[in-house]
Amino acid sequence: MKLIIMTKPTFFVEEDKILTTLFEEGLDNLHLFKPNSAPVYSERLLTLLADDYRKRIMVHEHLYLKDEYRLKGIHLDSPLSDVPVGYKGHISRTCRSIEQLKEAKKKSDYVFLRNIFNSQTNQEETTSFSIEELKDAASKGLIDRHVYAQGGINMENIRMIKDLGFGGVVICGDLWNRFNIHHGIDYKEVISDKLAPVPDFSGQQIPSEPIILRHSVLYRVYRIPVDQGFKIVHLFSHGESSALRSLKDCIIIAFLLIKLRRSAV
């Protein structure tokens, strides 16, 4: 399955550094979603990102940013929205009903099916589908590799999404809600050189040799079979340590998902 990370709807301090770290660790698709914001703030954020990373970004709203900053493409928040005149490039769309999928897929590289589960960022957005409805849509070929699940996606239900036949998932609240972006912690301190040892599955602890976030942790994760990988996610997401709200844990979790997705292809 493909993994897309969607930005937090609001801007926050050192967001560019966090996004850069995600890109450095292998993120290949970010959706820039800043609704009802002045374009100058998105422009500022994009200028702080390397050209190579901008090529991995799909932009919602302020679609002119695609050409001005050479982004990957544009996202239209309605299956009925018209593509800008003369536009050439990648297009994705949001659908809010199963009935919209067939036509939207014809005009898009991929589409989001929204409100799969209750939103973790907006309590007013609740699930729109039963599991039976999703299974039926998959059996009819409406849900396929071009349809990505959005809304309430987290560590506990991502496997169900894969089994339902979705081609990818959109992660937002489950990532950003894991740490306090307004806390007065310096970013460089949060992304520290060493991490606490991770328990293995026999009750023993992995030796606590120095673990560099950008190298050893990810290399170790790469070698973990998919089923065990989900167990590690469970350990991270259900632990009692306050460190779970640190950025380093969020990045490990996010990129464990990326590697699980690549292993499952």
mmCIF file of all heavy atoms in Angstrom, residues 155 159 178 197-201 206 217-218 220-239 244 249 252-253 255-257 260:
data_model
loop_
_atom_site.group_PDB
_atom_site.id
_atom_site.type_symbol
_atom_site.label_atom_id
_atom_site.label_comp_id
_atom_site.label_asym_id
_atom_site.label_seq_id
_atom_site.Cartn_x
_atom_site.Cartn_y
_atom_site.Cartn_z
ATOM 1 N N MET A 155 -2.822 3.103 13.655
ATOM 2 C CA MET A 155 -2.055 1.872 13.717
ATOM 3 C C MET A 155 -2.926 0.636 13.869
ATOM 4 O O MET A 155 -2.542 -0.457 13.468
ATOM 5 C CB MET A 155 -1.071 1.932 14.890
ATOM 6 C CG MET A 155 -0.170 3.140 14.891
ATOM 7 S SD MET A 155 0.862 3.235 13.419
ATOM 8 C CE MET A 155 1.553 4.868 13.644
ATOM 9 N N ARG A 159 -4.301 -2.303 8.890
ATOM 10 C CA ARG A 159 -4.293 -3.644 8.296
ATOM 11 C C ARG A 159 -5.665 -3.975 7.702
ATOM 12 O O ARG A 159 -5.764 -4.620 6.654
ATOM 13 C CB ARG A 159 -3.909 -4.670 9.361
ATOM 14 C CG ARG A 159 -3.153 -5.850 8.791
ATOM 15 C CD ARG A 159 -2.560 -6.682 9.889
ATOM 16 N NE ARG A 159 -1.561 -7.585 9.376
ATOM 17 C CZ ARG A 159 -0.911 -8.441 10.147
ATOM 18 N NH1 ARG A 159 -1.142 -8.486 11.424
ATOM 19 N NH2 ARG A 159 -0.013 -9.239 9.618
ATOM 20 N N ARG A 178 0.349 12.916 18.127
ATOM 21 C CA ARG A 178 1.212 12.175 19.037
ATOM 22 C C ARG A 178 2.237 13.039 19.761
ATOM 23 O O ARG A 178 2.982 12.555 20.578
ATOM 24 C CB ARG A 178 1.923 11.043 18.292
ATOM 25 C CG ARG A 178 0.975 9.922 17.938
ATOM 26 C CD ARG A 178 1.658 8.825 17.154
ATOM 27 N NE ARG A 178 0.693 7.814 16.779
ATOM 28 C CZ ARG A 178 0.341 6.793 17.550
ATOM 29 N NH1 ARG A 178 0.881 6.663 18.742
ATOM 30 N NH2 ARG A 178 -0.549 5.926 17.145
ATOM 31 N N PRO A 197 16.008 1.809 24.329
ATOM 32 C CA PRO A 197 15.917 0.489 23.700
ATOM 33 C C PRO A 197 14.467 0.045 23.549
ATOM 34 O O PRO A 197 13.630 0.324 24.396
ATOM 35 C CB PRO A 197 16.665 -0.418 24.682
ATOM 36 C CG PRO A 197 16.648 0.327 25.971
ATOM 37 C CD PRO A 197 16.702 1.776 25.608
ATOM 38 N N VAL A 198 14.185 -0.632 22.438
ATOM 39 C CA VAL A 198 12.831 -1.089 22.160
ATOM 40 C C VAL A 198 12.674 -2.528 22.619
ATOM 41 O O VAL A 198 13.502 -3.384 22.280
ATOM 42 C CB VAL A 198 12.544 -1.015 20.645
ATOM 43 C CG1 VAL A 198 11.138 -1.500 20.352
ATOM 44 C CG2 VAL A 198 12.743 0.411 20.156
ATOM 45 N N PRO A 199 11.635 -2.868 23.402
ATOM 46 C CA PRO A 199 11.472 -4.251 23.848
ATOM 47 C C PRO A 199 11.284 -5.188 22.663
ATOM 48 O O PRO A 199 10.616 -4.834 21.703
ATOM 49 C CB PRO A 199 10.200 -4.195 24.699
ATOM 50 C CG PRO A 199 10.007 -2.759 25.037
ATOM 51 C CD PRO A 199 10.580 -1.988 23.898
ATOM 52 N N ASP A 200 11.912 -6.388 22.743
ATOM 53 C CA ASP A 200 11.613 -7.348 21.692
ATOM 54 C C ASP A 200 10.428 -8.185 22.150
ATOM 55 O O ASP A 200 9.821 -7.908 23.180
ATOM 56 C CB ASP A 200 12.844 -8.197 21.363
ATOM 57 C CG ASP A 200 13.222 -9.138 22.495
ATOM 58 O OD1 ASP A 200 12.408 -9.329 23.430
ATOM 59 O OD2 ASP A 200 14.326 -9.688 22.449
ATOM 60 N N PHE A 201 10.098 -9.237 21.405
ATOM 61 C CA PHE A 201 8.838 -9.922 21.647
ATOM 62 C C PHE A 201 8.964 -11.080 22.622
ATOM 63 O O PHE A 201 8.005 -11.775 22.896
ATOM 64 C CB PHE A 201 8.275 -10.397 20.310
ATOM 65 C CG PHE A 201 8.233 -9.291 19.300
ATOM 66 C CD1 PHE A 201 8.841 -9.434 18.065
ATOM 67 C CD2 PHE A 201 7.634 -8.087 19.608
ATOM 68 C CE1 PHE A 201 8.826 -8.396 17.151
ATOM 69 C CE2 PHE A 201 7.622 -7.052 18.701
ATOM 70 C CZ PHE A 201 8.217 -7.203 17.464
ATOM 71 N N ILE A 206 16.467 -5.069 23.381
ATOM 72 C CA ILE A 206 17.527 -4.942 22.402
ATOM 73 C C ILE A 206 18.665 -4.148 23.051
ATOM 74 O O ILE A 206 18.420 -3.160 23.729
ATOM 75 C CB ILE A 206 17.012 -4.215 21.149
ATOM 76 C CG1 ILE A 206 15.925 -5.069 20.493
ATOM 77 C CG2 ILE A 206 18.132 -3.934 20.171
ATOM 78 C CD1 ILE A 206 15.218 -4.365 19.355
ATOM 79 N N VAL A 217 18.155 2.862 13.351
ATOM 80 C CA VAL A 217 16.780 2.499 13.666
ATOM 81 C C VAL A 217 16.052 2.054 12.409
ATOM 82 O O VAL A 217 15.421 1.002 12.369
ATOM 83 C CB VAL A 217 16.030 3.681 14.315
ATOM 84 C CG1 VAL A 217 14.540 3.386 14.368
ATOM 85 C CG2 VAL A 217 16.548 3.907 15.712
ATOM 86 N N LEU A 218 16.157 2.838 11.372
ATOM 87 C CA LEU A 218 15.445 2.508 10.148
ATOM 88 C C LEU A 218 16.004 1.255 9.505
ATOM 89 O O LEU A 218 15.256 0.425 8.983
ATOM 90 C CB LEU A 218 15.488 3.683 9.177
ATOM 91 C CG LEU A 218 14.731 4.907 9.665
ATOM 92 C CD1 LEU A 218 14.860 6.046 8.658
ATOM 93 C CD2 LEU A 218 13.278 4.593 9.922
ATOM 94 N N ARG A 220 17.296 -1.214 11.062
ATOM 95 C CA ARG A 220 16.802 -2.333 11.853
ATOM 96 C C ARG A 220 15.335 -2.619 11.516
ATOM 97 O O ARG A 220 14.917 -3.768 11.384
ATOM 98 C CB ARG A 220 16.944 -2.012 13.335
ATOM 99 C CG ARG A 220 16.774 -3.235 14.232
ATOM 100 C CD ARG A 220 17.101 -2.876 15.669
ATOM 101 N NE ARG A 220 16.108 -1.981 16.221
ATOM 102 C CZ ARG A 220 16.332 -1.188 17.254
ATOM 103 N NH1 ARG A 220 17.532 -1.157 17.797
ATOM 104 N NH2 ARG A 220 15.382 -0.422 17.729
ATOM 105 N N VAL A 221 14.557 -1.555 11.346
ATOM 106 C CA VAL A 221 13.153 -1.723 11.010
ATOM 107 C C VAL A 221 12.998 -2.402 9.656
ATOM 108 O O VAL A 221 12.120 -3.219 9.443
ATOM 109 C CB VAL A 221 12.428 -0.364 11.021
ATOM 110 C CG1 VAL A 221 11.042 -0.473 10.403
ATOM 111 C CG2 VAL A 221 12.322 0.158 12.450
ATOM 112 N N TYR A 222 13.882 -2.067 8.713
ATOM 113 C CA TYR A 222 13.774 -2.637 7.377
ATOM 114 C C TYR A 222 13.752 -4.165 7.431
ATOM 115 O O TYR A 222 13.117 -4.816 6.631
ATOM 116 C CB TYR A 222 14.965 -2.247 6.512
ATOM 117 C CG TYR A 222 15.087 -0.792 6.173
ATOM 118 C CD1 TYR A 222 16.195 -0.335 5.461
ATOM 119 C CD2 TYR A 222 14.129 0.133 6.552
ATOM 120 C CE1 TYR A 222 16.339 1.000 5.149
ATOM 121 C CE2 TYR A 222 14.263 1.472 6.248
ATOM 122 C CZ TYR A 222 15.371 1.906 5.549
ATOM 123 O OH TYR A 222 15.508 3.232 5.248
ATOM 124 N N ARG A 223 14.488 -4.744 8.370
ATOM 125 C CA ARG A 223 14.669 -6.194 8.388
ATOM 126 C C ARG A 223 13.554 -6.903 9.146
ATOM 127 O O ARG A 223 13.535 -8.130 9.210
ATOM 128 C CB ARG A 223 16.012 -6.531 9.031
ATOM 129 C CG ARG A 223 17.206 -5.878 8.331
ATOM 130 C CD ARG A 223 18.514 -6.423 8.882
ATOM 131 N NE ARG A 223 19.656 -5.742 8.291
ATOM 132 C CZ ARG A 223 20.329 -4.763 8.884
ATOM 133 N NH1 ARG A 223 19.969 -4.361 10.095
ATOM 134 N NH2 ARG A 223 21.355 -4.196 8.294
ATOM 135 N N ILE A 224 12.673 -6.158 9.742
ATOM 136 C CA ILE A 224 11.629 -6.781 10.551
ATOM 137 C C ILE A 224 10.471 -7.227 9.651
ATOM 138 O O ILE A 224 9.950 -6.436 8.877
ATOM 139 C CB ILE A 224 11.115 -5.785 11.614
ATOM 140 C CG1 ILE A 224 12.247 -5.485 12.596
ATOM 141 C CG2 ILE A 224 9.917 -6.342 12.354
ATOM 142 C CD1 ILE A 224 11.900 -4.438 13.612
ATOM 143 N N PRO A 225 10.055 -8.487 9.729
ATOM 144 C CA PRO A 225 8.919 -8.947 8.923
ATOM 145 C C PRO A 225 7.673 -8.125 9.198
ATOM 146 O O PRO A 225 7.523 -7.534 10.273
ATOM 147 C CB PRO A 225 8.728 -10.400 9.388
ATOM 148 C CG PRO A 225 10.053 -10.799 9.939
ATOM 149 C CD PRO A 225 10.625 -9.552 10.557
ATOM 150 N N VAL A 226 6.776 -8.105 8.244
ATOM 151 C CA VAL A 226 5.588 -7.250 8.343
ATOM 152 C C VAL A 226 4.807 -7.513 9.621
ATOM 153 O O VAL A 226 4.447 -6.595 10.357
ATOM 154 C CB VAL A 226 4.684 -7.445 7.113
ATOM 155 C CG1 VAL A 226 3.360 -6.712 7.313
ATOM 156 C CG2 VAL A 226 5.369 -6.923 5.864
ATOM 157 N N ASP A 227 4.544 -8.783 9.928
ATOM 158 C CA ASP A 227 3.720 -9.079 11.108
ATOM 159 C C ASP A 227 4.377 -8.583 12.382
ATOM 160 O O ASP A 227 3.720 -8.032 13.270
ATOM 161 C CB ASP A 227 3.477 -10.584 11.209
ATOM 162 C CG ASP A 227 2.525 -11.077 10.122
ATOM 163 O OD1 ASP A 227 1.852 -10.223 9.532
ATOM 164 O OD2 ASP A 227 2.483 -12.294 9.877
ATOM 165 N N GLN A 228 5.688 -8.765 12.503
ATOM 166 C CA GLN A 228 6.381 -8.281 13.687
ATOM 167 C C GLN A 228 6.431 -6.766 13.701
ATOM 168 O O GLN A 228 6.411 -6.154 14.760
ATOM 169 C CB GLN A 228 7.792 -8.872 13.742
ATOM 170 C CG GLN A 228 7.807 -10.367 13.985
ATOM 171 C CD GLN A 228 9.208 -10.900 14.212
ATOM 172 O OE1 GLN A 228 10.156 -10.130 14.266
ATOM 173 N NE2 GLN A 228 9.335 -12.210 14.344
ATOM 174 N N GLY A 229 6.499 -6.172 12.522
ATOM 175 C CA GLY A 229 6.502 -4.722 12.445
ATOM 176 C C GLY A 229 5.263 -4.129 13.060
ATOM 177 O O GLY A 229 5.316 -3.130 13.779
ATOM 178 N N PHE A 230 4.118 -4.761 12.810
ATOM 179 C CA PHE A 230 2.887 -4.262 13.405
ATOM 180 C C PHE A 230 2.921 -4.389 14.921
ATOM 181 O O PHE A 230 2.366 -3.580 15.640
ATOM 182 C CB PHE A 230 1.677 -5.010 12.835
ATOM 183 C CG PHE A 230 1.200 -4.456 11.531
ATOM 184 C CD1 PHE A 230 1.486 -5.084 10.342
ATOM 185 C CD2 PHE A 230 0.484 -3.271 11.487
ATOM 186 C CE1 PHE A 230 1.067 -4.573 9.137
ATOM 187 C CE2 PHE A 230 0.063 -2.743 10.281
ATOM 188 C CZ PHE A 230 0.350 -3.392 9.101
ATOM 189 N N LYS A 231 3.613 -5.434 15.423
ATOM 190 C CA LYS A 231 3.738 -5.577 16.866
ATOM 191 C C LYS A 231 4.565 -4.438 17.452
ATOM 192 O O LYS A 231 4.285 -3.942 18.537
ATOM 193 C CB LYS A 231 4.369 -6.924 17.208
ATOM 194 C CG LYS A 231 3.474 -8.110 16.878
ATOM 195 C CD LYS A 231 4.162 -9.423 17.212
ATOM 196 C CE LYS A 231 3.302 -10.611 16.824
ATOM 197 N NZ LYS A 231 3.978 -11.898 17.112
ATOM 198 N N ILE A 232 5.603 -4.016 16.728
ATOM 199 C CA ILE A 232 6.413 -2.897 17.213
ATOM 200 C C ILE A 232 5.575 -1.625 17.236
ATOM 201 O O ILE A 232 5.646 -0.837 18.171
ATOM 202 C CB ILE A 232 7.665 -2.711 16.344
ATOM 203 C CG1 ILE A 232 8.701 -3.776 16.714
ATOM 204 C CG2 ILE A 232 8.272 -1.327 16.538
ATOM 205 C CD1 ILE A 232 10.039 -3.586 16.069
ATOM 206 N N VAL A 233 4.768 -1.421 16.199
ATOM 207 C CA VAL A 233 3.879 -0.265 16.200
ATOM 208 C C VAL A 233 2.993 -0.310 17.431
ATOM 209 O O VAL A 233 2.760 0.691 18.097
ATOM 210 C CB VAL A 233 3.009 -0.245 14.926
ATOM 211 C CG1 VAL A 233 1.921 0.808 15.047
ATOM 212 C CG2 VAL A 233 3.866 0.057 13.717
ATOM 213 N N HIS A 234 2.489 -1.498 17.757
ATOM 214 C CA HIS A 234 1.619 -1.648 18.925
ATOM 215 C C HIS A 234 2.367 -1.247 20.194
ATOM 216 O O HIS A 234 1.822 -0.557 21.057
ATOM 217 C CB HIS A 234 1.148 -3.094 19.016
ATOM 218 C CG HIS A 234 0.226 -3.354 20.170
ATOM 219 N ND1 HIS A 234 -1.112 -3.073 20.113
ATOM 220 C CD2 HIS A 234 0.451 -3.842 21.417
ATOM 221 C CE1 HIS A 234 -1.683 -3.387 21.265
ATOM 222 N NE2 HIS A 234 -0.749 -3.858 22.076
ATOM 223 N N LEU A 235 3.617 -1.641 20.294
ATOM 224 C CA LEU A 235 4.399 -1.298 21.475
ATOM 225 C C LEU A 235 4.570 0.212 21.594
ATOM 226 O O LEU A 235 4.446 0.793 22.660
ATOM 227 C CB LEU A 235 5.770 -1.976 21.408
ATOM 228 C CG LEU A 235 5.785 -3.488 21.637
ATOM 229 C CD1 LEU A 235 7.159 -4.044 21.331
ATOM 230 C CD2 LEU A 235 5.382 -3.822 23.064
ATOM 231 N N PHE A 236 4.866 0.858 20.449
ATOM 232 C CA PHE A 236 5.041 2.304 20.480
ATOM 233 C C PHE A 236 3.743 3.010 20.837
ATOM 234 O O PHE A 236 3.721 3.960 21.597
ATOM 235 C CB PHE A 236 5.508 2.806 19.110
ATOM 236 C CG PHE A 236 7.007 2.815 18.958
ATOM 237 C CD1 PHE A 236 7.623 2.021 18.021
ATOM 238 C CD2 PHE A 236 7.783 3.617 19.767
ATOM 239 C CE1 PHE A 236 8.997 2.035 17.867
ATOM 240 C CE2 PHE A 236 9.165 3.634 19.633
ATOM 241 C CZ PHE A 236 9.776 2.839 18.679
ATOM 242 N N SER A 237 2.631 2.545 20.260
ATOM 243 C CA SER A 237 1.386 3.294 20.394
ATOM 244 C C SER A 237 0.677 3.032 21.718
ATOM 245 O O SER A 237 -0.221 3.761 22.079
ATOM 246 C CB SER A 237 0.447 2.969 19.228
ATOM 247 O OG SER A 237 0.161 1.586 19.184
ATOM 248 N N HIS A 238 1.087 1.963 22.425
ATOM 249 C CA HIS A 238 0.418 1.659 23.678
ATOM 250 C C HIS A 238 1.329 1.786 24.895
ATOM 251 O O HIS A 238 0.919 1.487 26.001
ATOM 252 C CB HIS A 238 -0.173 0.251 23.626
ATOM 253 C CG HIS A 238 -1.326 0.122 22.683
ATOM 254 N ND1 HIS A 238 -1.152 -0.001 21.324
ATOM 255 C CD2 HIS A 238 -2.655 0.133 22.892
ATOM 256 C CE1 HIS A 238 -2.332 -0.091 20.734
ATOM 257 N NE2 HIS A 238 -3.257 -0.006 21.659
ATOM 258 N N GLY A 239 2.553 2.208 24.688
ATOM 259 C CA GLY A 239 3.468 2.381 25.804
ATOM 260 C C GLY A 239 3.043 3.527 26.699
ATOM 261 O O GLY A 239 2.210 4.345 26.349
ATOM 262 N N LEU A 244 6.575 9.144 24.016
ATOM 263 C CA LEU A 244 5.729 8.881 22.856
ATOM 264 C C LEU A 244 5.253 10.168 22.218
ATOM 265 O O LEU A 244 4.887 10.185 21.051
ATOM 266 C CB LEU A 244 4.524 8.034 23.264
ATOM 267 C CG LEU A 244 4.798 6.540 23.431
ATOM 268 C CD1 LEU A 244 3.576 5.854 23.983
ATOM 269 C CD2 LEU A 244 5.205 5.928 22.120
ATOM 270 N N ASP A 249 9.610 9.837 18.137
ATOM 271 C CA ASP A 249 8.724 8.683 18.092
ATOM 272 C C ASP A 249 7.760 8.782 16.917
ATOM 273 O O ASP A 249 7.457 7.782 16.267
ATOM 274 C CB ASP A 249 7.944 8.559 19.396
ATOM 275 C CG ASP A 249 8.831 8.176 20.559
ATOM 276 O OD1 ASP A 249 9.597 7.210 20.416
ATOM 277 O OD2 ASP A 249 8.779 8.845 21.587
ATOM 278 N N ILE A 252 9.591 7.756 13.741
ATOM 279 C CA ILE A 252 9.810 6.312 13.677
ATOM 280 C C ILE A 252 8.522 5.608 13.275
ATOM 281 O O ILE A 252 8.512 4.726 12.407
ATOM 282 C CB ILE A 252 10.300 5.783 15.039
ATOM 283 C CG1 ILE A 252 11.699 6.318 15.332
ATOM 284 C CG2 ILE A 252 10.311 4.255 15.044
ATOM 285 C CD1 ILE A 252 12.160 6.040 16.736
ATOM 286 N N ILE A 253 7.414 5.989 13.904
ATOM 287 C CA ILE A 253 6.135 5.365 13.591
ATOM 288 C C ILE A 253 5.750 5.622 12.144
ATOM 289 O O ILE A 253 5.347 4.711 11.421
ATOM 290 C CB ILE A 253 5.046 5.890 14.549
ATOM 291 C CG1 ILE A 253 5.321 5.385 15.969
ATOM 292 C CG2 ILE A 253 3.666 5.447 14.092
ATOM 293 C CD1 ILE A 253 4.485 6.037 17.026
ATOM 294 N N PHE A 255 7.594 6.225 9.557
ATOM 295 C CA PHE A 255 8.403 5.530 8.575
ATOM 296 C C PHE A 255 8.423 4.031 8.751
ATOM 297 O O PHE A 255 8.750 3.297 7.827
ATOM 298 C CB PHE A 255 9.793 6.149 8.504
ATOM 299 C CG PHE A 255 9.680 7.446 7.799
ATOM 300 C CD1 PHE A 255 9.545 8.621 8.505
ATOM 301 C CD2 PHE A 255 9.582 7.489 6.427
ATOM 302 C CE1 PHE A 255 9.354 9.815 7.848
ATOM 303 C CE2 PHE A 255 9.385 8.687 5.771
ATOM 304 C CZ PHE A 255 9.272 9.850 6.475
ATOM 305 N N LEU A 256 8.025 3.551 9.897
ATOM 306 C CA LEU A 256 7.740 2.135 10.003
ATOM 307 C C LEU A 256 6.570 1.807 9.082
ATOM 308 O O LEU A 256 6.572 0.793 8.384
ATOM 309 C CB LEU A 256 7.417 1.761 11.448
ATOM 310 C CG LEU A 256 7.039 0.303 11.708
ATOM 311 C CD1 LEU A 256 8.109 -0.619 11.159
ATOM 312 C CD2 LEU A 256 6.842 0.069 13.180
ATOM 313 N N LEU A 257 5.587 2.677 9.047
ATOM 314 C CA LEU A 257 4.467 2.468 8.141
ATOM 315 C C LEU A 257 4.925 2.456 6.691
ATOM 316 O O LEU A 257 4.465 1.645 5.885
ATOM 317 C CB LEU A 257 3.428 3.577 8.335
ATOM 318 C CG LEU A 257 2.502 3.449 9.536
ATOM 319 C CD1 LEU A 257 1.607 4.665 9.639
ATOM 320 C CD2 LEU A 257 1.670 2.188 9.439
ATOM 321 N N LEU A 260 6.585 -0.863 6.083
ATOM 322 C CA LEU A 260 5.581 -1.922 6.053
ATOM 323 C C LEU A 260 4.840 -1.903 4.733
ATOM 324 O O LEU A 260 4.565 -2.933 4.135
ATOM 325 C CB LEU A 260 4.603 -1.755 7.215
ATOM 326 C CG LEU A 260 5.150 -2.056 8.599
ATOM 327 C CD1 LEU A 260 4.131 -1.684 9.662
ATOM 328 C CD2 LEU A 260 5.522 -3.521 8.721
#
